[in-house]
Amino acid sequence: MPESEQDQAPQGIDTTKPSVSRVYDYMLGGKDNYEIDRQVAAMALKVAPDAPEAALANREFLRRTVHHLAAEAGIRQFLDIGSGLPTQGNVHEIAQSVAPGTRVVYVDHDPIVLVHGRALLAVDATTTIVEADAREPERILDDPKTRGLIDFSEPVGLLLFGILHHLADSEDPAGIAARLIAPLAAGSHVVISHFHNPGQARPEVSEQAYAAEKIFNEHLGTGRWRTREEILAYFDGLELLEPGLVPLPEWRPDQDDHATQGITYHTFVGGVARKP
């Protein structure tokens, strides 16, 4: 680790251990990452050279879905679980460009996300950041900051971008999603993006997914490329919007998209559903 990076790291940030958020930041071309994160990213890039395209596709999926929820579904409050490091086009910026005053609660437990988030995301009385783990739904839902901005008697946009695939099977990600969705009012919408293993439908892609999963679990702690059926289970009881669960660039693409198709194209999927 270069001494300069150790000196520049915010207090409390361990620069000797990789962070999912910082690796993702690196893939997006950000600067809030350290040598250890770039080393893990390099390993991932050997398996999937177009991984930065997948990261970009996820940000573009966020932009399109948040805009849809604000502009078309009339959502005026968002709960973003596992928000990650601030980057261009954050949830509150997108939603408030449609409807000023839209309220956004960001949730993360990564120390560096909290450092930057408190400075850049909690910009005014309409936004805040809550320190909590996705594995603790009730803590998130009952946090005074959450309750201060989110009215659970009104529709909510629950955002689960790239978070459920970092929960192990033993942690019951479907159950966690269900506990987050349960208190939401009718008319709420849920957005999920998730690593995907297409299995025998695309053997070469499936092999790459398994290789990437191995790297994640050896160096970042968690990462599961799940089947289509496993991911669809997160939407049980909800009305999945067209075009359904699809590779991220295929969810209502627009002219502002830039992500291109590569081997990771079919290993990152997403969908949006409405609570009836």
Side-chain angles (χ1 to χ4, degrees):
M1 175 67 61
E3 287 187 10
S4 60
E5 289 198 348
Q6 292 183 21
D7 295 339
Q8 294 171 8
Q11 187 174 3
I13 304 303
D14 187 350
T15 58
T16 66
K17 295 180 180 179
S19 155
V20 171
S21 294
R22 299 196 311 253
V23 172
Y24 184 55
D25 174 73
Y26 174 76
M27 293 293 190
L28 285 169
K31 299 179 180 179
D32 295 313
N33 51 80
Y34 302 99
E35 180 61 26
I36 190 67
D37 307 304
R38 296 189 284 272
Q39 289 174 5
V40 172
M43 286 184 278
L45 288 168
K46 288 180 181 178
V47 174
D50 67 330
E53 289 296 317
L56 176 60
N58 194 45
R59 290 304 299 183
E60 293 180 343
F61 177 67
L62 180 151
R63 171 179 51 78
R64 297 194 307 275
T65 55
V66 170
H67 187 275
H68 171 79
L69 265 56
E72 305 298 327
I75 300 297
R76 296 295 178 262
Q77 48 184 2
F78 290 83
L79 183 58
D80 184 6
I81 311 292
S83 53
L85 282 159
T87 187
Q88 186 175 7
N90 294 298
V91 172
H92 71 278
E93 296 168 330
I94 299 164
Q96 291 174 2
S97 71
V98 175
T102 295
R103 304 180 303 282
V104 179
V105 174
Y106 295 99
V107 180
D108 212 297
H109 73 289
D110 187 313
I112 198 165
V113 172
L114 296 169
V115 167
H116 289 278
R118 286 168 181 147
L120 299 175
L121 299 179
V123 291
D124 56 36
T126 64
T127 63
T128 192
I129 186 162
V130 170
E131 181 179 0
D133 194 299
R135 300 169 183 83
E136 305 172 296
E138 288 73 26
R139 179 179 169 188
I140 294 170
L141 297 169
D142 295 336
D143 189 281
K145 290 183 179 179
T146 304
R147 292 285 172 174
L149 285 184
I150 303 294
D151 178 357
F152 286 98
S153 69
E154 297 293 331
V156 175
L158 174 62
L159 310 179
L160 299 167
F161 294 105
I163 183 66
L164 294 175
H165 56 227
H166 290 302
L167 301 179
D169 293 348
S170 61
E171 293 171 312
D172 188 21
I176 288 173
R179 286 155 61 193
L180 287 166
I181 294 167
L184 304 185
S188 293
H189 286 63
V190 180
V191 187
I192 295 173
S193 64
H194 198 293
F195 291 157
H196 172 238
N197 189 323
Q200 291 306 305
R202 297 179 183 275
E204 181 184 356
V205 176
S206 179
E207 182 178 343
Q208 180 266 337
Y210 279 122
E213 185 171 287
K214 186 173 186 291
I215 289 172
F216 261 72
N217 284 280
E218 288 179 353
H219 300 282
L220 285 174
T222 56
R224 277 281 283 115
W225 275 247
R226 294 189 167 94
T227 66
R228 178 177 180 82
E229 291 69 26
E230 288 174 315
I231 300 169
L232 283 172
Y234 301 140
F235 296 105
D236 281 353
L238 306 177
E239 300 170 346
L240 199 60
L241 305 189
E242 292 294 337
L245 183 67
V246 295
L248 300 181
E250 294 182 16
W251 200 92
R252 306 189 184 187
D254 64 33
Q255 60 184 7
D256 295 324
D257 296 337
H258 298 288
T260 57
Q261 185 168 349
I263 194 169
T264 63
Y265 187 84
H266 292 282
T267 65
F268 210 171
V269 299
V272 181
R274 179 182 182 278
K275 187 173 183 180

